[in-house]
Amino acid sequence: MTAMVKDELSRVGITNNSERKAEVTALLRLSGGVHIVGGRVIIEAELDAGSVARRLRRDISEVYGYTSGVSVLADGNTRRGVRYLVRIAKHGEGLARQTGLVDQRGRPVRGLPPSVVSGGIRDLEAAWRGAFLAHGSLTEPGRSSSLEITCPGPETAMALVGAARRLGIAAKAREIRGAHQVVVRDGDAISALLTRMGAHHAMLAWEERRMRREVRATANRPANFDDANLRRSARAAVATSARVERAMEILAGDAPKHLLDIGRLRLKFNQASLEELGQRADPSMTKDAVHGRIRRLLAMADNRAKELGIPDTGSVVNDTMMGV
């Protein structure tokens, strides 16, 4: 599901400059970073999606006022798939200093800059978003499901672990064959982190697959475990219902009728699956149609909340709902 998450994160709208700086800094740090060539500071970022490369170049231009070049690296023996190389050479030193990727003496910072690590909650969410866009992956729900970030060194890994802790999410740093990674394995924590980063659509899709898998597994277990497992599979629906309820409060009826109708249906049957909601709709709908309308309702409410400066729909999802 990595491509789905990155596609959605590359389209997350941010207007706050502090958040945009935190995202750019983390993205540059984990995707290549600072190189000193012939006494000149050059910044390069190697990315696996064109949408991410475009987002990075736009933010560098709009936030810092610097231009950047981009080149396409074709599939070869040492890399899988097409890669995009964003390069800042002429203003590399200026950008490196402004992002905090080098210190006052011009030496590369090994972890993440203090301005990011000690920033506000939104900055930490943006830093995690940038880290995932640079080197993140999400596996399908299951026994070995995980959200992982590959880091350039242990300092960056520990910085991300600390940022996750401040966000209320348990993450671990590990080293495998010389590669440093940050890993989140708990399913509820993965959902919470996807929401924090802004991947609401991907989170709903991941939870839907997770529920289906858990329900199938429940059928093969002793009857005395059935109730507990079904309750766990319904948590995602309950959490989504809480977000929808918050969305209805934020929008106060100011939304298209078909979105409000699906929101009311979600609240009325707060533990039903998307397929069941589609069957209860009038006229009936596919689960993909239900999912799309809920996603648009939440996105509209989150954008309105950002304009008004009030908590968005993700603020109502707590540990109790997620079973922590």
Side-chain angles (χ1 to χ4, degrees):
M1 296 185 64
T2 301
M4 177 191 295
V5 178
K6 288 190 177 183
D7 179 67
E8 184 171 5
L9 293 183
S10 69
R11 293 181 283 105
V12 172
I14 312 174
T15 56
N16 183 282
N17 267 2
S18 179
E19 295 175 40
R20 296 177 78 180
K21 289 179 178 179
E23 181 184 309
V24 168
T25 299
L27 208 162
L28 290 175
R29 183 71 184 90
L30 276 82
S31 63
V34 178
H35 307 283
I36 300 177
V37 181
R40 294 179 59 198
V41 175
I42 296 175
I43 296 180
E44 292 183 336
E46 188 173 327
L47 306 164
D48 58 7
S51 59
V52 179
R54 288 190 294 272
R55 180 183 180 88
L56 176 60
R57 295 186 69 203
R58 184 196 66 205
D59 286 345
I60 290 174
S61 175
E62 294 179 359
V63 177
Y64 297 100
Y66 297 135
T67 57
S68 58
V70 63
S71 56
V72 179
L73 306 177
D75 191 3
N77 294 331
T78 60
R79 61 173 64 89
R80 296 177 58 187
V82 175
R83 309 282 290 181
Y84 301 85
L85 183 68
V86 177
R87 196 168 192 264
I88 303 95
K90 184 177 180 181
H91 303 290
E93 183 173 357
L95 181 60
R97 290 186 181 279
Q98 287 182 263
T99 54
L101 293 177
V102 297
D103 60 22
Q104 294 182 348
R105 297 183 179 181
R107 298 174 301 188
V109 173
R110 297 181 66 85
L112 289 176
S115 59
V116 174
V117 176
S118 61
I121 294 299
R122 294 290 191 182
D123 293 342
L124 298 178
E125 293 172 347
W128 258 93
R129 181 168 52 250
F132 193 95
L133 288 172
H135 261 304
S137 64
L138 176 66
T139 60
E140 292 281 343
R143 288 185 178 181
S144 60
S145 62
S146 65
L147 187 153
E148 299 180 2
I149 306 289
T150 301
C151 301
E155 297 85 359
T156 306
M158 292 309 300
L160 286 176
V161 169
R165 185 182 302 116
R166 288 184 58 195
L167 294 174
I169 295 166
K172 292 184 179 181
R174 67 180 186 180
E175 182 181 354
I176 299 180
R177 294 188 294 274
H180 298 275
Q181 295 179 329
V182 177
V183 183
V184 180
R185 290 200 179 279
D186 180 75
D188 296 331
I190 290 174
S191 291
L193 186 53
L194 289 173
T195 300
R196 287 283 197 177
M197 291 190 296
H200 302 299
H201 182 189
M203 185 276 287
L204 290 172
W206 194 85
E207 280 290 356
E208 182 73 12
R209 298 183 192 188
R210 181 187 176 200
M211 281 195 298
R212 287 202 302 268
R213 188 180 184 91
E214 290 180 349
V215 170
R216 284 198 301 268
T218 299
N220 298 322
R221 295 173 185 170
N224 59 325
F225 290 103
D226 286 350
D227 289 344
N229 287 325
L230 288 173
R231 283 198 301 271
R232 182 181 178 187
S233 69
R235 286 173 189 156
V238 173
T240 302
S241 296
R243 291 189 62 205
V244 168
E245 184 176 8
R246 175 59 181 161
M248 302 290 269
E249 293 175 359
I250 294 171
L251 295 172
D254 184 16
K257 183 178 182 299
H258 66 285
L259 298 186
L260 296 175
D261 288 344
I262 201 64
R264 297 186 185 101
L265 193 64
R266 173 80 278 179
L267 295 180
K268 185 175 180 180
F269 304 100
N270 68 339
Q271 294 191 24
S273 68
L274 296 180
E275 188 173 1
E276 291 171 337
L277 286 183
Q279 293 171 354
R280 293 179 181 276
D282 185 19
S284 60
M285 304 162 54
T286 65
K287 65 180 181 181
D288 289 337
V290 174
H291 178 232
R293 292 189 182 186
I294 291 177
R295 176 177 58 83
R296 290 193 294 274
L297 178 69
L298 296 178
M300 182 178 293
D302 286 339
N303 288 334
R304 182 72 56 81
K306 182 172 291 187
E307 294 172 359
L308 298 175
I310 60 176
D312 60 14
T313 62
S315 65
V316 298
V317 179
N318 54 43
D319 290 346
T320 300
M321 292 178 189
M322 304 306 291
V324 178

